[in-house]
Amino acid sequence: MSAVAEASRPSIPQAKSVQEYIDERPAWSDGTSLKSAPMTGMQWRIWSLAAAGKFFEGFVVFMTGVALPLIVREFHIGAAEKGIVSAASLAGILVGAVLLGGLSDYFGRKRMFIAEMVIFCAFLGLLLLCQNFLSLAICLFGLGMALGCDYPTAHMIISESIPSLARGKLVLGAFAFQAVGALAGTGVGCLVLTLVPDLSAWRWMFATAVIPALLVTLGRFFITESPNWLSARGRHDKAEAAVTRLLLRTPQYPSNISLARQGVDTTHAKPSFWALFDSRNLRATIFASVPWFLQDLGTYGIGIFTPTILAAALGGGADHIRSVSDLIADGILAAKGAALITFLLIVGICFAVLLADRLGRIKLQIGGFIGCALGLLLASFSIDFEGSSKILLIFAGFMMFNFMTNIGPNAQTYLLAGEVFPTAVRGMGAGFAAAFAKIGAVATAFLFPILLVEIGTRALLYGLVVTSILGAIVTWIYRIETTGVNLDEIGR
């Protein structure tokens, strides 16, 4: 960068928006601009700490699946209580996304970015000490609340601090660490089961996350507040200081930062939740929430099928659990199966990272929904076959579904929900979209086993084909393309 010189500037710096300064590119001495603005150390720090949060989400959620059989046996939990334990973290995510995530519009991105990890560490530590069903459910709900807050907050802390041209790949790159965490969680769960083959193994699983989580919490104190949020709140002096700290680099550019002073609309400076449904934001609210809801119907629905398919393919465990050793053996088998599915999730997300800023969010989301429909249709054909052909069709269909949902709607709905709203309501909007999607997930988890018995596998798969096609249609009708677009322009 020593050969890079700033383009000639007027003696009085021109006032710009926060995002214009972040997007500003250095120029060679002949005035030729670089293709992109290099990331600063602070920008990479923010990204890394956000990615770490997504890692813990995948790590804890998938590890809970491995630990659950041990928890059920230790606390002698019945079927109804097991359902509550399984749904506790999901319910927490729903509440945390819409309540805690929305608070970032009032208290700032940084404060909630720290608060969510403090809550996460507190309930993670308490989880290790649980002695009964009630305390267990409360702790899992608390962990879910922290993870739910992370859905909008992690996205915003990245997207409001990085260049527009790299926003898609960097946000999805952080999101991909959810899959990396899931793979690590199943791996650690399997390792702990091997090293500590008794009922206390589940406590050791969760204990492995405590120290890393505390380090991430500490690191979040040393980042800058979102200058976009400060500017939207009319705190221009603090916003200028935040931009200066965010863009600190050698050689320094831009050398002079003077933010445009615009009158703050008090209606949007302290918005209410209902602002999401006014004429200005309704399109964005529908676009961010409905496709995500439809995507979660399919994703969580297929998740109910997956364990049965994996058991058949990998040669299931003991028919009847007679001892702790049988329980451990089944747990290790389940962890291996989950790792297989998670690996495909990582592959799909990697393609999403590579293509989001090239093909665009809308093309990937629509193409992904259509691919999901085709995968589910292929899986439905398996009902007319037996033996190896049946397993092959189910596997091919589900693998296609998993790949296409992760390159398309699973990744893009998360990305778009944090981009399509104005800065003043971005936290509430992204949080509402995530919570609305989790309503679909909870409904699916509850209704799917009932519908499976009442209407059968074929009709259920056909229903998911319809919801996938509907997701593509809604995406097209309400589309808001955000690829490479300045966040200030999207907000308008």
Side-chain angles (χ1 to χ4, degrees), residues 46-58 60 92-93 95-105 107-125 139-158 174 178 209-210 212-221 223 414 427 430-431 434:
I46 290 171
W47 183 88
S48 300
L49 291 169
K54 306 311 293 182
F55 175 89
F56 285 122
E57 180 181 342
V60 169
I93 289 174
V95 174
V98 72
L99 293 184
L100 297 183
L103 292 178
S104 61
D105 288 333
F107 299 112
R109 316 311 195 204
K110 179 180 176 179
R111 287 183 181 177
M112 296 311 300
F113 197 48
I114 295 170
E116 70 183 35
M117 280 304 297
V118 171
I119 295 171
F120 179 84
C121 291
F123 281 104
L124 183 62
C139 288
L140 290 174
F141 180 84
L143 285 174
M145 285 187 62
L147 298 177
C149 180
D150 190 69
Y151 269 93
T153 308
H155 188 318
M156 290 183 298
I157 203 77
I158 297 175
Q178 183 185 76
V210 172
L214 288 172
L215 293 176
V216 170
T217 305
L218 182 63
R220 291 186 176 188
F221 281 90
I223 64 169
Y414 172 77

Side-chain angles (χ1 to χ4, degrees), residues 90-105 109 116 145 147-156 273 276-277 284-285 288-289 292-293 296 413-422 424-439:
L90 195 61
I93 289 174
L94 191 157
V95 174
V98 72
L99 293 184
L100 297 183
L103 292 178
S104 61
D105 288 333
R109 316 311 195 204
E116 70 183 35
M145 285 187 62
L147 298 177
C149 180
D150 190 69
Y151 269 93
T153 308
H155 188 318
M156 290 183 298
F273 175 78
L276 297 178
F277 306 97
T285 300
S289 56
W292 199 348
F293 172 87
D296 270 12
T413 50
Y414 172 77
L415 177 58
L416 286 163
E419 292 181 328
V420 296
F421 295 97
V425 296
R426 190 168 291 135
M428 286 189 294
F432 173 79
F436 190 76
K438 289 302 171 282
I439 292 174

Side-chain angles (χ1 to χ4, degrees), residues 8 58 70 78 103 111 116 130 140 149 161-162 177 180 210 256 279 319 321 347-348 357 366 388 403 443 456 468 484:
S8 59
L70 298 174
L103 292 178
R111 287 183 181 177
E116 70 183 35
C130 287
L140 290 174
C149 180
S161 303
I162 60 174
F177 273 81
V180 176
V210 172
N256 295 297
S279 58
D319 293 331
I321 302 299
V347 174
D357 289 321
I366 292 175
S388 59
F403 178 76
S468 295

Side-chain angles (χ1 to χ4, degrees), residues 54-69 71 86 89 93 120 140 143 147 151 175-190 193 202 205-206 299-300 303 306-307 310 331 334-346 402 406 410:
K54 306 311 293 182
F55 175 89
F56 285 122
E57 180 181 342
F59 188 84
V60 169
V61 170
F62 271 69
M63 186 178 287
T64 300
V66 179
L68 188 58
I71 294 172
S86 300
S89 59
I93 289 174
F120 179 84
L140 290 174
L143 285 174
L147 298 177
Y151 269 93
F175 181 65
F177 273 81
Q178 183 185 76
V180 176
L183 190 61
T186 54
V188 170
C190 187
L193 286 174
W202 71 269
M205 292 180 197
F206 289 108
T299 298
Y300 282 85
T306 300
L310 291 173
K336 291 178 179 178
L340 175 64
I341 293 298
T342 304
F343 176 75
L344 196 68
L345 188 152
I346 293 174
N402 277 306
N406 288 313
N410 186 38

